Amino acid sequence: MTLRLVELDAENLPAVIRIPPVVGEKAYVAPVLHSIAEAYVTPTAWPRVIMDDDEVVGFVMANWDPESEMAEFRGGIWRLNVADEAKGRGVGRFAVEQVAAEARRRGYDHITALWEQADDGPEQFYLKLGFRPAHELFGERVGILDL
Ligand SMILES: CC(C)(COP(=O)(O)OP(=O)(O)OC[C@H]1O[C@@H](n2cnc3c(N)ncnc32)[C@H](O)[C@@H]1OP(=O)(O)O)[C@@H](O)C(=O)NCCC(=O)NCCS
């Protein structure tokens, strides 16, 4: 596997928006289409496509807003969607490591992620990658990864 992050463009967009969940499906993360629309109206959003060679295998969106009134939203992972056929191959880990590296470049000493607590949700993934569970916010668990 040769994983890399690239910016969204007209060529990769069709494959990126096919990554589950589809609009209307109940899931622990928003559809990519929704995230891209949010990125369009959020200057601090940092959406990236995860490629394995020339194949789109995921989507990650960070947010870099150090002035945010809410500490939880100053810097971290906002969305992460790995394509079904690419799950379990280290794509999610790669995305988190890349967001952490970008955060270090920007001078952050930690990043956050928020997740729904459910047996089949992403909590174990984030804990495995070193996030420590903190307080709850809007019914979700806030996780902090020290850099
Ligand atoms: C959660 C998700 C991002 C994980 O991505 P992934 O590419 O399959 O994860 P990785 O292969 O990088 O796994 C990294 C580690 O976490 C572990 N892991 C991943 N998902 C896990 C789960 N559901 N339960 C327990 N451990 C898990 C892996 O075993 C691996 O551990 P290892 O390094 O010891 O082998 C992916 O399953 C996904 O897109 N889920 C649906 C959307 C979602 O929940 N996104 C997060 C929203 S906040």
Side-chain angles (χ1 to χ4, degrees), residues 28-29 78 80-82 86-94 114-115 121-122 124-126 128-129:
Y28 296 113
V29 68
W78 188 1
L80 174 57
N81 309 57
V82 174
K87 281 181 180 154
R89 287 173 16 197
V91 173
R93 179 189 290 278
F94 173 79
L114 274 76
W115 60 81
Q124 293 308 318
F125 164 75
Y126 283 118
K128 188 125 208 197
L129 292 193

Side-chain angles (χ1 to χ4, degrees), residues 4-5 46 64 93-103 105:
R4 61 200 163 100
L5 291 192
W46 192 82
W64 309 119
R93 179 189 290 278
F94 173 79
V96 171
E97 288 170 353
Q98 292 297 304
V99 170
E102 179 65 19
R105 283 193 284 274

Side-chain angles (χ1 to χ4, degrees), residues 8-60:
L8 280 161
D9 61 27
E11 201 182 326
N12 60 36
L13 186 71
V16 182
I17 62 178
R18 276 200 298 271
I19 296 171
V22 295
V23 174
E25 185 182 338
K26 191 168 163 19
Y28 296 113
V29 68
V32 176
L33 206 52
H34 188 131
S35 298
I36 294 173
E38 284 176 313
Y40 186 76
V41 295
T42 310
T44 54
W46 192 82
R48 291 293 184 273
V49 180
I50 312 168
M51 306 285 302
D52 179 11
D53 288 326
D54 290 333
E55 188 192 350
V56 171
V57 291
F59 171 81
V60 63

Side-chain angles (χ1 to χ4, degrees), residues 58-140:
F59 171 81
V60 63
M61 187 155 90
N63 189 39
W64 309 119
D65 187 8
E67 307 301 322
S68 174
E69 283 179 14
M70 298 193 61
E72 296 85 353
F73 300 135
R74 289 186 190 143
I77 294 172
W78 188 1
R79 299 282 160 64
L80 174 57
N81 309 57
V82 174
D84 284 342
E85 61 278 12
K87 281 181 180 154
R89 287 173 16 197
V91 173
R93 179 189 290 278
F94 173 79
V96 171
E97 288 170 353
Q98 292 297 304
V99 170
E102 179 65 19
R104 281 191 206 96
R105 283 193 284 274
R106 291 170 180 258
Y108 285 84
D109 63 5
H110 69 277
I111 56 172
T112 55
L114 274 76
W115 60 81
E116 262 184 65
Q117 290 184 281
D119 288 344
D120 56 348
E123 180 165 64
Q124 293 308 318
F125 164 75
Y126 283 118
L127 296 183
K128 188 125 208 197
L129 292 193
F131 282 80
R132 56 185 165 83
H135 53 286
E136 267 188 36
L137 184 69
F138 307 136
E140 296 199 324

